[in-house]
Amino acid sequence: MTTPVLKLGIPAGSLQEATGELFRKAGYKISFPSRSYYPTIDDPEIHCTLIRAQEIARYVQDGSLDCGLTGHDWVVENDAKVTELAELVFSKVSRKPVRWVLAVPTESPIQTPKDLQGKRIATEVVNITRRWLASHGVTANVEFSWGATEVKPPRLADAIVEVTETGSSLRANNLRIVCDILTSTTRFIANDNAAVDPWKRRKMDDLILMLRGAMAAENKVGLMMNVRKADLEKVLAVLPAMLKPTISGLSDPNWADVMAILDEDAVRRLIPDLKRSGASGIVEFPLTKIID
Amino acid sequence: MTTPVLKLGIPAGSLQEATGELFRKAGYKISFPSRSYYPTIDDPEIHCTLIRAQEIARYVQDGSLDCGLTGHDWVVENDAKVTELAELVFSKVSRKPVRWVLAVPTESPIQTPKDLQGKRIATEVVNITRRWLASHGVTANVEFSWGATEVKPPRLADAIVEVTETGSSLRANNLRIVCDILTSTTRFIANDNAAVDPWKRRKMDDLILMLRGAMAAENKVGLMMNVRKADLEKVLAVLPAMLKPTISGLSDPNWADVMAILDEDAVRRLIPDLKRSGASGIVEFPLTKIID
Amino acid sequence: MTTPVLKLGIPAGSLQEATGELFRKAGYKISFPSRSYYPTIDDPEIHCTLIRAQEIARYVQDGSLDCGLTGHDWVVENDAKVTELAELVFSKVSRKPVRWVLAVPTESPIQTPKDLQGKRIATEVVNITRRWLASHGVTANVEFSWGATEVKPPRLADAIVEVTETGSSLRANNLRIVCDILTSTTRFIANDNAAVDPWKRRKMDDLILMLRGAMAAENKVGLMMNVRKADLEKVLAVLPAMLKPTISGLSDPNWADVMAILDEDAVRRLIPDLKRSGASGIVEFPLTKIID
Amino acid sequence: MTTPVLKLGIPAGSLQEATGELFRKAGYKISFPSRSYYPTIDDPEIHCTLIRAQEIARYVQDGSLDCGLTGHDWVVENDAKVTELAELVFSKVSRKPVRWVLAVPTESPIQTPKDLQGKRIATEVVNITRRWLASHGVTANVEFSWGATEVKPPRLADAIVEVTETGSSLRANNLRIVCDILTSTTRFIANDNAAVDPWKRRKMDDLILMLRGAMAAENKVGLMMNVRKADLEKVLAVLPAMLKPTISGLSDPNWADVMAILDEDAVRRLIPDLKRSGASGIVEFPLTKIID
Amino acid sequence: MTTPVLKLGIPAGSLQEATGELFRKAGYKISFPSRSYYPTIDDPEIHCTLIRAQEIARYVQDGSLDCGLTGHDWVVENDAKVTELAELVFSKVSRKPVRWVLAVPTESPIQTPKDLQGKRIATEVVNITRRWLASHGVTANVEFSWGATEVKPPRLADAIVEVTETGSSLRANNLRIVCDILTSTTRFIANDNAAVDPWKRRKMDDLILMLRGAMAAENKVGLMMNVRKADLEKVLAVLPAMLKPTISGLSDPNWADVMAILDEDAVRRLIPDLKRSGASGIVEFPLTKIID
Amino acid sequence: MTTPVLKLGIPAGSLQEATGELFRKAGYKISFPSRSYYPTIDDPEIHCTLIRAQEIARYVQDGSLDCGLTGHDWVVENDAKVTELAELVFSKVSRKPVRWVLAVPTESPIQTPKDLQGKRIATEVVNITRRWLASHGVTANVEFSWGATEVKPPRLADAIVEVTETGSSLRANNLRIVCDILTSTTRFIANDNAAVDPWKRRKMDDLILMLRGAMAAENKVGLMMNVRKADLEKVLAVLPAMLKPTISGLSDPNWADVMAILDEDAVRRLIPDLKRSGASGIVEFPLTKIID
């Protein structure tokens, strides 16, 4: 009997490095051999394929892949019938959702969707744009753009539908946002059959548990401190309520050891207060995974 | 009255650097400011736009651009109605024509176009592929591939139509070429109206003359040598017939100075013979343009 | 009502990266956008400005900045009236104090300050040098040096006052140290008014607490070990006296868990002894902050 | 009286960086000044010399060095009389033993050692090869190869004895492995006299203890979790038997805190099971040394 | 008797590479050993010293150097008494004169020099600024700026005097130019005594001749062409009048060979006309020096 | 009938890039594919192999190669019976002959070869050293050194035989040269049979002719100038005697055009004199080959 295998699609391009980093933090040794599209991973039950984010949903839908990571936007663009198992918000690159917006030159007369009637619109998401136009009862000429979409107006297009995070690239090209079309984050999607196959589902659930454990530990740190029992209540009042700290007794019966998990950027606000409340020997240490 | 301007499309991506280099050799100071899609050029009558090669023909056809450099393949894929003014064969990157071929896994049963009936074909040139299939009376499922097409068979596609120069990338992915679909080189194309506008046509012709002058000088060198008049005939017999050498008299009436333009890689074959025929003081010097 | 803001000067140049690193360890996300002089920091109550170390004291004194990090030397050179809140000894770059020394060519007859009478002295610290000469009753020609001061003697200067850490650059330029002029470390300085403004002072004190917590953790590690209660006294005798270890009971009443914070380079000396004294399961783990 | 000193040889070349990294993890600040062959180390009782791995055994044997790290292969090649104190298996570069193999062109008729009679064999390990041939009663022409040994057959050699890890370089050069000659790992070797000198032996033993502590921590992590006492048995059953976890009581008498040291790549398999068994607040943290 | 030597100052910093390049084109092998301030040059009669441009005039005036290259601005700032032997306009870095301008925040009320009364002005050229203010009868507080001057207004200065080429850095910092203070180019300056010493003067004149020959060849090319004698007048009419072309006879008495030196960027305009006028076999070749 | 082929050895390592550059200047397109030991060359009659300089002579002697470039030192070290066809002195790397010297610590008592009796000598050229010692009637222990030979004395060797160009590496290691052992330059060597094979010999002679043409052009430039016939004698007197300049008549019968080939570093001395002698319109242009 052969080993069962989970066929997993990894998005090539801008998300690739961040995805690799997340898997590594989750405890998987993944690497991307140069010139190969088959990342190696130290789990013989997982087979990775590197594919453009735009195409992953298509191949998950038809079963060429069991599951994959891709943007919600490309699931919609491909109109793919797949099961979404988790939303993954990780790493610098994708921490904030991306926005697909309709943008026009600053001085363009276009102010509302209706003004697009008969215009040329350049975009990478032709299907999303056409459906959105249809929902507004507008007919326009939607052209697939191979790249550098934001430099096309006004000479090569009247409007564009383009992805943006901060809007700075649009402003730099003298474009104005008319309205939002779609907001998207990274998703872990599964083929509908794979999602109900017991072995594959458990394999995917365990993988997602670990990915989430690694994401939860990003920007979190551990804090240990010694507290006189008399001060314990005051010290605990300073700590945020959401995560219950671990309190252990010390040899000296008048003292306790408190350990808490905190947001890295809350620490600098809390430490001065903890010290004022009587904590001493405060030590901060790094974490790599948190599973609550 | 405003300066007339020629709107010129420069292909972004793999051809960009080679194109810039060719323009520089032709005497134009062109540069590509980072993050801008408008290359600067020291001719106020030319306005450059950097666009993906795939899209140039489309924008030249509709008059957004007057002219541009792009591959013959993308003119065909876009089914663009444009005027072709010159074929440009330049630089390492594009010296050889590129071939679009139909390729399948080495062990695939597909041997002829007929065998593609009902199969999945991944390609960047969807229109070329569909027309070619139609010409063979075959119906197949042609899917647009966003990249890394050659790694898709056999799991994500049955066959691909992909560009190749040496075939090595295909072999590395265990693919076999079934047949050629299209051969392509770089072309200088013009909008049909621009091609008959007197000012624009002369501007384009002068530009093409200089580009050709620079291309002609690639891999050519100049050779000067002193020859006793008695040996002149023998020496001239060694030189290739196609380019007439320039012969000037020297102060010493028994000697002449011969200057010839030669292929760089012929020089090493010719010099030993020239020396044996009586040439002396042979000096090789570099050239930057040749307009005959 | 607007948010109060602390205007903080960060030294540009050689200390910049080390300062950024220290802030990051202290829990502040600080970054230096290329071509901007306003580092971003994830605390809306702090506004950073990147300024040459030489100028920070000047701008703190006149209130353009509330506070800043700079060398003691530049406070003295600028004769700045500011309040010094902390001495910061951090990172490779500034762990050791820097010395400003008087140096002359090895073979120079100059042996004492008196011998400088009437000589040419090149230096970046013109004021420090002049005051020092005056205190020795010596008159000399002090010239501001824009850089590469150590290569000027003997042709462009008779002596220099220059900064040195190991003296190797002086030796390489064939110079001999005559005497020390000033020793300097990095300081956290505040404008005199800001130092007594309650909100600003507390903000600065908290910031300094965190910076010190990060510095204290450099080269420190945590050590956990299991110790049979019978061996506890022997094991504790091995540990340095200065930091009290945390001792907690285990489920097994015969064993205790000891946690200690130690100098990283003491660990390799202590571990063999700890093991010989009966400690087992010794585990070393990294720390990022220590606030005692 | 002068400080006693341990003269330690560090292998230059491919193992150098990995060795430096291991020493740093073990708590020694070692650095390799460019253009110097004397690495600096922050222990005045150790004096390092950077030497080619091939030569270390020779200099340890004759007492020029007290000890050193080198491959077992070079000890054998030099036929060196030294004391081996430890086998070190560390870092990416040397985690797996290296194999010296006899290889021939794929299509060569050579199938057994006997077929080498009278052939040309190129290798860096001339002595090992000659002794191995002698043990098979074969006479062949063994030539010292200065490098690139694997490209020599079939034109410059009939066979080679070469080092390999995965065999991929041999396959790429169209070579076939006939048989193994020697397997080798990195060793800590000592001069026979140094090994029995009390001060040197204790110094070496302590150093080896720390190196082993650092190696043990590679790919290990710490896991802390809260467990209801009722679930303790179930949770402990999930953890691997080999390392006893540390269990401490919490303030809440119904809960315990469990800390375990685990293989990094086991964690992703164990965490889902630990959670199912009732563990909560699972936190993973990094370790730098483990001495059991 | 010892070799006489010319002591030459080379500007360190932004002009260094361009200066080195110019010397190399002029036929001098100059190189900048890392960490040395004495560039090597293959002329034993020249001794180079690398010094900041700001200081060269000072050291040329006092005779520490015989001559040097520096900006006119620094000659004025130092109020140096030196002899200017040549203006050098070379290379990308310094082809255009630099402008020192008075700049203020865009929204500042300062519109004329008079408005500066009592303001803080930051600048690297304190003396130039003070003299200029005095000439306008204005008293202001001029502070030496160690760098990043353009980011100081409005918080650290009311106005600045700063160097600019295109004004883009000023605009990026939201500054407005009020007026020009000084325009500057690179100069070859000599000590007054060195300028009248016969050996040194001839040495400097020869050096300047070669530097000018190299500068003249920048952006110039040679053009050779064959012209039927009947067309000679027409062809010569196309060539610019300023440089007389060289006309030589060929063996064929009806043809002549014309060689001309032309601006590189005129060539692309002239070649089409030359061809139309009857020139054939037009060949362009590079030049490295032109001395007319 | 198959194409005859010349098997050519190219030295890997420090000479590789310089050799490639020389071949390119000689008109051969040679390139070094990464990870291959078979450089590609655009002459189907030449087959290149990249081999360590130390081994080339051995393989040329036994006919595995027809010819190769290597140092004279390695011919001697291998005691190889080969035919030397040319000495090649090219490029920065090998323009000066290299010297193998005997060196000892500065303070060593060794002053003459005789003092080496019974000492340890480390070297890469074991055979050369042994023969040289024998010629002096000295017996010593010569050990093969795998590298970093110059750091071995005094602890790992009493003396070394090492290669040096400027002696600076020896001085930096506190070594003193006792005497020279061998001087070496790069040679073109041939197998004895290949040297008398007519096709191979002509192929090698033509190749050497081109290599020499490229070497002759290094550091040479062409100079063209217009000279009034009345000044011709004066101008010719300035030009060095060794290379006869080419003098051609101009259309204007009073003027002549003089072309000369000169050492690049003589030009800067000659041009001022040429100008003073009446030459005008002096133009310098680059050369790539000179075959006299």
Side-chain angles (χ1 to χ4, degrees), chain E residues 8-279:
Chain E
L8 170 70
I10 303 281
S14 63
L15 278 181
Q16 178 178 331
E17 265 322 300
T19 304
E21 194 52 36
L22 177 65
F23 271 71
R24 265 170 238 122
K25 285 179 179 168
Y28 296 85
K29 290 212 181 70
I30 192 170
S31 63
F32 301 101
S34 64
R35 276 186 269 178
S36 163
Y37 286 84
Y38 301 108
T40 60
I41 192 166
D42 65 340
D43 182 334
E45 297 178 344
I46 298 179
H47 186 275
C48 298
T49 305
L50 207 53
I51 302 193
R52 295 286 290 266
Q54 292 94 324
E55 302 181 319
I56 283 185
R58 184 162 90 201
Y59 293 122
V60 168
Q61 174 180 339
D62 74 12
S64 302
L65 298 173
D66 292 317
C67 55
L69 281 78
T70 188
H72 175 60
D73 39 10
W74 296 111
V75 176
V76 175
E77 172 68 12
N78 284 287
D79 197 16
K81 309 298 172 248
V82 296
T83 303
E84 184 182 313
L85 293 185
E87 183 174 13
L88 302 176
V89 182
F90 62 99
S91 101
K92 192 163 50 223
V93 192
S94 76
R95 192 160 290 148
K96 283 193 200 141
V98 297
R99 295 163 60 198
W100 287 92
V101 299
L102 176 76
V104 297
T106 312
E107 68 285 359
S108 163
I110 296 170
Q111 299 291 345
T112 71
K114 293 291 177 206
D115 302 334
L116 294 169
Q117 183 68 34
K119 301 294 184 188
R120 273 185 316 174
I121 308 177
T123 185
E124 255 193 301
V125 287
V126 168
N127 295 327
I128 289 174
T129 303
R130 286 197 179 131
R131 270 183 254 138
W132 179 83
L133 287 169
S135 78
H136 283 80
V138 173
T139 308
N141 183 16
V142 182
E143 290 185 337
F144 177 65
S145 174
W146 293 79
T149 311
E150 69 276 19
V151 303
K152 292 188 171 168
R155 299 193 310 164
L156 306 181
D158 300 304
I160 62 172
V161 172
E162 182 54 329
V163 78
T164 187
E165 277 191 78
T166 62
S168 66
S169 173
L170 295 176
R171 272 193 304 278
N173 283 289
N174 213 27
L175 297 174
R176 165 170 54 83
I177 294 177
V178 175
C179 59
D180 280 61
I181 306 286
L182 186 76
T183 294
S184 175
T185 53
T186 302
R187 307 294 164 93
F188 191 110
I189 59 170
N191 174 272
D192 289 348
N193 294 327
V196 295
D197 171 285
W199 183 87
K200 289 185 179 174
R201 182 56 181 262
R202 176 153 173 178
K203 189 82 196 170
M204 293 189 283
D205 283 345
D206 285 1
L207 172 55
I208 290 168
L209 181 73
M210 297 311 292
L211 295 174
R212 281 186 165 145
M215 289 187 289
E218 288 195 336
N219 299 309
K220 292 283 194 311
V221 296
L223 221 58
M224 282 186 290
M225 65 202 85
N226 294 331
V227 185
R228 201 177 292 273
K229 283 194 176 156
D231 295 325
L232 199 52
E233 207 170 337
K234 254 194 303 171
V235 163
L236 294 180
V238 169
L239 292 171
M242 74 176 168
L243 279 162
K244 219 176 58 174
T246 299
I247 304 160
S248 27
L250 296 183
S251 303
D252 181 334
N254 295 321
W255 286 79
D257 184 74
V258 174
M259 192 193 77
I261 306 303
L262 295 171
D263 278 344
E264 193 179 8
D265 54 7
V267 161
R268 68 186 191 223
R269 220 177 49 244
L270 295 174
I271 282 183
D273 285 347
L274 289 169
K275 205 168 139 67
R276 282 188 275 263
S277 306

Side-chain angles (χ1 to χ4, degrees), chain F residues 62-84:
Chain F
D62 74 13
S64 303
L65 298 173
D66 292 317
C67 55
L69 281 77
T70 188
H72 174 60
D73 40 9
W74 296 112
V75 176
V76 175
E77 172 68 12
N78 285 287
D79 197 15
K81 309 297 173 247
V82 296
T83 303
E84 183 182 310

Side-chain angles (χ1 to χ4, degrees), chain B residues 27-29 42-43 202 206 209-210 246-248 259 261 286-292, chain E residues 219 224 226 249-251 257 265 267-268 271-273 275-276 281-286:
Chain B
Y28 297 85
K29 290 210 180 72
D42 65 340
D43 182 334
R202 176 152 171 179
D206 284 1
L209 181 72
M210 297 310 294
T246 299
I247 303 160
S248 27
M259 193 193 76
I261 306 302
L287 304 173
T288 44
K289 277 192 212 87
I290 300 173
I291 287 109
D292 204 36
Chain E
N219 299 309
M224 282 186 290
N226 294 331
L250 296 183
S251 303
D257 184 74
D265 54 7
V267 161
R268 68 186 191 223
I271 282 183
D273 285 347
K275 205 168 139 67
R276 282 188 275 263
I282 308 175
V283 170
E284 182 190 303
F285 59 96

